[in-house]
Amino acid sequence: MSNILFGVRSSHSQLNGNPPQDPYFTSKPSKRPLMALKTLSSILSPLSFPYNPTLFSSKLPKLHSKRSLVLCRLSHPQQGYNNSPISKVDLSDPTPGPDGTGAAAPTPGDRFLERHRSIEAAKLVKKENKKKKKKEKPFKVSTAVASCYGCGAPLQTSELDAPGYVDADTYALKKHRQLRSVLCGRCKLLSHGHMITAVGGNGGYSGGKQFITADQLREKLSHLRYEKALIVKLVDIVDFNGSFLAHVRDLAGANPIILVVTKIDLLPKGTNLNCLGDWVVEATTKKKLNVLSVHLTSSKSLVGITGVASEIQREKKGRDVYILGAANVGKSAFITALLKLMGEKDPVAAAAQKYKPIQSAVPGTTLGPIQINAFLSGGKLYDTPGVHLHHRQAAVVHSEDLPVLAPRSRIRGQIFPVQSENGTAGNNMANLLNGQSLFWGGLVRIDILKVLPETRLIFYGPKSLQIHTVPTDEADEFYQKEVGGLLTPPTGERVEEWRGLEIVRELRLNFEDVERPACDVAISGLGWFRLEPKSKMVSNSDSSSEKTEGELHIVVHVPRPVEIFVRPPLPVGKSGEDWYLYRELTEKEAETRPKWNF
């Protein structure tokens, strides 16, 4: 490093008492020093625009008004960099991107899982610090925050009743690259039929270790909308409206969606799937989502799973695949069926069947995202925590009663009033339902205020929920007396804590075509009942009666905060194809509407 001295003086100044020897420094004034000063100032100025006194404020001193000595230090040319005397400076961020690029870069799914693990690690550290303050045994966990492959909960060895617990000896034995094969104690109990809840939501789950709230579980999916992914969204056909996830766009963002309708094997015999598929597509189109296609499936019989697997492979395009849906909609069962079918041709999917998610009737079995290597062509399959919806019946029923809400065999419509042997109720029972109240277990009460002659109600839901009829003026007393006994659920000790049927909704329904059912009234998390005026009985009455009694007036009671949906009738059973009407589509609708597959 060397220093070069530039000097600029006038003839009136002296340097160390000696006159200057340079010819530029003479006793006569000259323009050359001023020119040198301008040139030097333009070189040394941090702003590289030409010298122009008008660009500067008049308050600033003129550069040539006072001549002074200026020192400038120049470095030697750097060797080995194109022999350039000045090194290039990168003004951008000097640190490379954390993810990098290329084939080895982390996928969106890897980043999604890493964020989840970081959040869990921070929570565990915070929890550990609290325990240290209380002088308790620290919460032991792997530094990599290994998770149970059955439920996705972080593995731990201190809290026996909490999800993710493993024996300390087992943890020590498996901690060296084998934690991925560890199943926590709760998942082992769930696999043997035990009902152990782990989520406390808005409605609340009684019993079990309240490990996480529904809002915290939903928080684990908050980053999904920012990922580039393929979403496979599951909907339960028995609880279509209650399990659809009305705000699914908040979770999926603009990512494409494959809609999978599960449990179609539970529908009544003779159901026409053409009518059913059109009904589902019509209901889905009204949601205005980015749905690529609709698939009618059964995880139990593997019906329709082949079409879903083909659609995933076709639309994946290098992206990760996320299985999304409401709690207890059948995500884990669907993944098991998908891996079984894909494993016939894909060795990676066949190997993934060894460590598949746990299936259980308890909502909230999966507590964290579970990564599954399921594709030979790359990309990951993720089982995500179920979205807990407080408006479903499962949010208010005790864990011991949850199996009652999950039909395990084909449902059949229960008709009220009960028909006679010749298939009719008889003319003397024309207005049998008016003034009556129907109890659907201890969860639903329906007051019939006004219906057409020979109107009947058909209930579609769990067989274990019995239906009882009493006069409306005796309904309150009957419910208080029989709840927990004749009217179940609730059952057991939880009857004393049962708050009753607090939500009351009055429905006035008009219809024009007596040849078709009036509507369905769906109870979120349970099933639905249909109001069906019998056309052949109406035709026997005079025309004036038919016009004046074209209104149905009922009142529905459910627990808080369960929701009630009024919708077009779902075409199930043998009679569904007789009265179902296909809507005529425009050319644009025919092109843009998602196609259904079976």
Side-chain angles (χ1 to χ4, degrees), residues 31 61 100 117 199 204 206 249 293 306 308 342 438 444 473 483 502 540 556 562:
K31 295 182 179 180
R117 289 176 174 174
V199 179
S206 304
R249 190 180 288 105
S293 60
T306 303
V308 180
M342 292 172 55
L438 282 71
V444 183
D473 54 0
V483 64
E502 299 177 325
N540 293 333
V556 183
V562 174

Side-chain angles (χ1 to χ4, degrees), residues 286-407:
K286 295 178 181 179
K287 305 291 184 180
K288 297 182 179 180
L289 299 174
N290 185 17
V291 177
L292 301 177
S293 60
V294 175
H295 296 262
L296 307 180
T297 68
S298 168
S299 300
K300 183 177 180 181
S301 61
L302 301 182
V303 171
I305 303 297
T306 303
V308 180
S310 301
E311 183 82 3
I312 290 175
Q313 294 289 1
R314 182 168 55 253
E315 299 292 341
K316 187 165 65 71
K317 300 176 182 178
R319 295 172 293 191
D320 292 321
V321 181
Y322 295 80
I323 309 300
L324 188 67
N328 210 31
V329 78
K331 296 187 301 299
S332 297
F334 170 76
I335 290 176
T336 300
L338 186 65
L339 292 177
K340 181 178 180 180
L341 199 64
M342 292 172 55
E344 297 177 358
K345 298 181 180 180
D346 192 334
V348 177
Q353 296 184 60
K354 186 175 182 181
Y355 304 110
K356 56 191 177 184
I358 291 295
Q359 303 178 40
S360 173
V362 177
T365 301
T366 303
L367 300 177
I370 302 175
Q371 176 181 301
I372 303 172
N373 298 323
F375 306 110
L376 183 62
S377 57
K380 302 291 192 300
L381 179 69
Y382 288 88
D383 184 12
T384 61
V387 180
H388 285 256
L389 304 174
H390 68 281
H391 59 73
R392 302 179 75 193
Q393 290 280 7
V396 296
V397 173
H398 185 256
S399 59
E400 296 178 356
D401 295 328
L402 287 176
V404 176
L405 303 181

Side-chain angles (χ1 to χ4, degrees), residues 441-457:
L443 302 177
V444 183
R445 168 183 164 183
I446 305 161
D447 297 336
I448 310 296
L449 303 184
K450 178 183 177 182
V451 294
L452 289 175
E454 295 305 325
T455 295
R456 62 181 185 179
L457 274 67

